[in-house]
Each structure stands twice: as C-alpha cells, then as structure tokens.
Amino acid sequence: MWRWLRRQLNLLDFALFSLRRRKFKNLALFLVYALVVFWVASVLLFARAMQAQAEKLLQDSPEVLVQRMTAGRHELIPLEYMGQIKGIRGVKEVYGRIWGYYYDPGSGANYTIMVPMLPGHGPEPGRILVGRGVMRCFAAKDQQSLTFRSYRGGFMTLGIKELFPSDSELLTSDLIIMEQGDFKNLFGFPEGFATDLAVTVRNPRERATVAEKITQLLPDTRPILREEILRTYRALFDWRGGMALLLLVGALLAFFILAWDKATGLSADEKREIGILKAIGWETGDVMLLKGLEGLVISFSAFLLGAIAAYFHIFHFSWILMAPALKGWSVLYPSFPLYPSLRAGDLAVLFFFTVVPYTLVTITPCWKAATMDPDRVMRGQA
C-alpha cells in the first residue's frame, strides 16, 4: 500500500515538474479555464440562492388566491363571493385582499400599495408602512412622510410609521401598506369589492381540489395555488440564469476549442518527452497516467479556484459582475443579502462537465504517442 502510494506521489511530483517546464502556456490555459468555471458557477449559485430566498419568503403567502377574470383580464372581485367559497367543504378561512399599483412620475417607478387583510394589523389612518426600496426611489421631500396624487387630482400626505426589515426586501422593496380608508381615498376603490380573495384550506393536500370546486362554483374566477407561484419564481430565475449562460456561449465555445487543441495536439517537446520515458523503461500505462495527472491538476485546480471565487462573488460581493445583466430595466430593484443554497447534484454536474472531459481528452494523444516506437517518436517521425 505504501509502495503504491509513494509511486502515485512520485508520478504527481513529476507531473507538476512537467507542467512547470511549460508554465506560461499552462498558466494561460488555467486562468481561462478558471474564468469559465467562475461564470458558470456564479450563475448556478445565484439561481439556486434566489429560488431558496423566494421559497422561504413565500411560505407565508396565501395558500390559494382567487381572482375574477373578465375578457381575460383581472377585475375586482365582489366580496359576496366569500360566502360561496366558505361553503366549500375543506375551506378554513377566506379574506378579501385590497391592493393596487401607484406610479410615481418623480422616480419613474411603480409601487405596490396594499391594505392589511386583518383589521387592526396595519397602520392607523394617515400613516403607512413602506419598503426600503420605496425610501430609496420615491420622490419624497423628507424621510418622515410621502405625498401621493389621488384619483381626483388632489394630494395626500401620509406619515411613515415604520420600514420593513431588510431581510424581506425581495418581497417588500416596492411595498406600501396603508389603512383601508386612505387606500379608497387615493384610488376611489368601490365598496363591496376586493382585488382578490385569499383562501386557507384545512388539509394542504386538498388545495387543488378546493381550487377546482371554486372554478366550478364561480366560473368567472381563476384560483392560483401557492405552489404555482413558487413554480413561476423557479422558472423566472432559471430563465434569467439561462440568459446569462447564453451570453457566455461564445466564450465557452472559444474555451472548448482552446482546451481541445491543447489537449489533443502534442507539441514536439511533449512527444520527445514521451519517447524518452518509453526508452528508459516506462510502461504505456505509466505514461498515460502521468499525462492524465497533468490534465487533472489543471482542470481540478481551475475548478476549485473558479468555484471558490464564484462563492465569494455571489455571497460576499453582492454578485456585482452579474447585476447589470440580471437586474434588467427595473428602476426599483431590491437590495437584499443572498444566503448559500446549493444542491450536491448541481456541484457534481458542474464538476463532471468541467473536470472530466478535459482530463479524458489529454489521455488520447498520449496513448497514441506512447504506443509507437520510442526511437521514431524522439526523431519526430511520429
């Protein structure tokens, strides 16, 4: 066992020495290799962290949302629908949600304005709760109040009672919570209506059944399950991650061509080295193992460097290099910390597609040179 291990260590030492003899060429390949791994790992880490953050924050969202549709568009829903939905077996509670969007010409951003679902759980009249993104963008004269233009053209000034915590900024960045009377004065919202209904079901496994019964009982409504919202978020972040990778297709192809050319084409010095090793008694298997170790050292080191750099980029430097591409055109973008969330399978896939192919393609040309006559190889006739 010790003899075998000592032999492997000697081979590894010889492989490192061989790489140092062509250090500039191998260093350039290593840096490009690590850069490619860095970008792919950054996209992967970002997408997984965003999905985990969204799933965590949406745990408290309504189990089933019921919207009324007219001609394919979302319309206000009568509160009398609540009584019919409560009559469905398995439904625990039904609340009417009142919310809307407010466009502020000063900042050029849209804000979400909501009324608390439960009476007594929101701000008192004349006061509001606001997200931190609102305070960064809203055209406010001070940090104590916000002035809105109502549907009648008048102005309403509401005092700021409290800011939402920064760890919920993914959902509350553009959010303003106000009392129901203030909301109706701002938008002229009609009595007896809600924007949508939030339904709680006793047994979580019956949500889909309850949603189907709501559709049958109220054909002009559209129930939306919490799981559907989560799937939408996953698809959104997968799509953005895919777009980021798509932008790298050209760089990835250039790298693979470089790596393939480097790995499959042996230089005259490398062929002469193989010929000498064969002439002094090395077996073909030893030569292939040596070249495999050289490829493994480059690919595995690049993988480690790229993956670690991606981790710090996403979770310690706020994905600063990817932000311009992923933020899009939004004026009001939340600022929030991302927490590490990566599946072992994702890391294994990244390792397999970045380390294994390069290591394998380095062995093929070496096998071809190692199986030829050493004298012909050293004379450059191979």
Side-chain angles (χ1 to χ4, degrees):
M1 179 67 184
W2 286 108
R3 184 179 178 185
W4 178 85
L5 183 60
R6 191 180 302 112
R7 180 171 177 271
Q8 304 307 313
L9 290 176
N10 289 334
L11 278 174
L12 180 60
D13 184 62
F14 193 90
L16 293 174
F17 175 76
S18 179
L19 290 173
R20 282 198 298 270
R21 284 194 290 111
R22 297 180 289 276
K23 55 186 176 184
F24 293 110
K25 185 177 180 182
N26 288 321
L27 181 62
L29 177 63
F30 168 76
L31 291 177
V32 176
Y33 205 145
L35 183 62
V36 170
V37 175
F38 166 77
W39 274 111
V40 176
S42 293
V43 172
L44 195 61
L45 289 173
F46 175 81
R48 289 290 176 255
M50 290 292 286
Q51 289 173 354
Q53 185 91 346
E55 289 176 6
K56 178 183 175 183
L57 295 174
L58 288 173
Q59 284 179 350
D60 297 327
S61 63
E63 296 177 357
V64 182
L65 281 177
V66 181
Q67 297 178 340
R68 184 187 180 204
M69 306 298 294
T70 300
R73 297 178 63 86
H74 178 201
E75 291 286 346
L76 300 182
I77 187 168
L79 291 178
E80 61 190 37
Y81 281 18
M82 292 171 58
Q84 300 181 57
I85 294 175
K86 283 180 181 176
I88 297 176
R89 187 175 181 180
V91 172
K92 184 179 179 182
E93 290 179 310
V94 183
Y95 297 103
R97 299 199 319 163
I98 298 177
W99 58 274
Y101 296 115
Y102 178 83
Y103 176 72
D104 176 39
S107 59
N110 274 303
Y111 302 96
T112 303
I113 300 183
M114 290 190 70
V115 172
M117 286 193 296
L118 299 177
H121 285 71
E124 59 272 20
R127 306 278 283 176
I128 52 176
L129 308 178
V130 299
R132 294 176 184 273
V134 177
M135 294 307 298
R136 290 194 296 268
C137 296
F138 203 99
K141 293 181 179 179
D142 53 49
Q143 298 295 306
Q144 305 299 321
S145 63
L146 298 180
T147 299
F148 302 87
R149 186 180 177 87
S150 72
Y151 75 104
R152 293 183 181 277
F155 292 96
M156 291 176 55
T157 299
L158 302 176
I160 297 173
K161 180 180 180 181
E162 188 179 337
L163 298 180
F164 290 110
S166 57
D167 58 357
S168 66
E169 197 164 336
L170 182 61
L171 293 180
T172 62
S173 179
D174 69 333
L175 183 61
I176 300 173
I177 301 288
M178 66 174 58
E179 191 268 338
Q180 184 171 342
D182 291 335
F183 185 91
K184 291 182 176 179
N185 290 334
L186 179 62
F187 293 109
F189 201 86
E191 295 288 344
F193 286 86
T195 308
D196 52 32
L197 302 179
V199 180
T200 304
V201 181
R202 288 192 179 88
N203 187 348
R205 290 180 294 182
E206 295 181 349
R207 289 172 188 161
T209 305
V210 169
E212 185 178 352
K213 289 181 178 179
I214 292 174
T215 306
Q216 294 173 355
L217 183 65
L218 303 167
D220 61 338
T221 61
R222 178 181 62 179
I224 303 173
L225 301 178
R226 180 194 294 167
E227 290 75 13
E228 293 174 338
I229 299 175
L230 287 172
R231 280 199 296 272
T232 302
Y233 270 89
R234 291 193 194 104
L236 172 66
F237 295 129
D238 283 342
W239 176 81
R240 290 212 167 192
M243 288 298 294
L245 286 178
L246 191 61
L247 295 175
L248 298 175
V249 165
L252 289 172
L253 286 176
F255 165 72
F256 285 128
I257 292 172
L258 172 67
W260 179 264
D261 181 68
K262 164 67 178 64
T264 56
L266 292 177
S267 65
D269 288 342
E270 289 174 309
K271 291 180 180 178
R272 191 177 302 111
E273 178 188 4
I274 292 174
I276 293 172
L277 292 176
K278 290 282 292 182
I280 62 177
W282 282 48
E283 299 291 337
T284 301
D286 295 335
V287 175
M288 292 176 62
L289 181 58
L290 172 67
K291 294 301 176 185
L293 282 174
E294 290 182 7
L296 184 62
V297 167
I298 291 178
S299 57
F300 189 67
S301 302
F303 171 80
L304 282 181
L305 177 64
I308 293 173
Y311 181 90
F312 281 95
H313 171 223
I314 297 299
F315 300 117
H316 291 274
F317 295 100
S318 303
W319 34 287
I320 187 170
L321 298 178
M322 298 170 57
L326 296 176
K327 281 184 176 179
W329 57 85
S330 176
V331 174
L332 179 58
Y333 198 84
S335 174
F336 55 91
L338 284 176
Y339 300 103
S341 176
L342 183 65
R343 302 168 189 165
D346 295 332
L347 201 60
V349 170
L350 180 64
F351 177 85
F352 181 83
F353 283 104
T354 53
V355 174
V356 175
Y358 180 80
T359 304
L360 291 180
V361 296
T362 56
I363 296 176
T364 305
C366 298
W367 172 79
K368 184 178 178 182
T371 53
M372 299 185 70
D373 180 48
D375 183 61
R376 289 187 59 199
V377 175
M378 285 187 290
R379 291 175 183 275
Q381 297 175 354

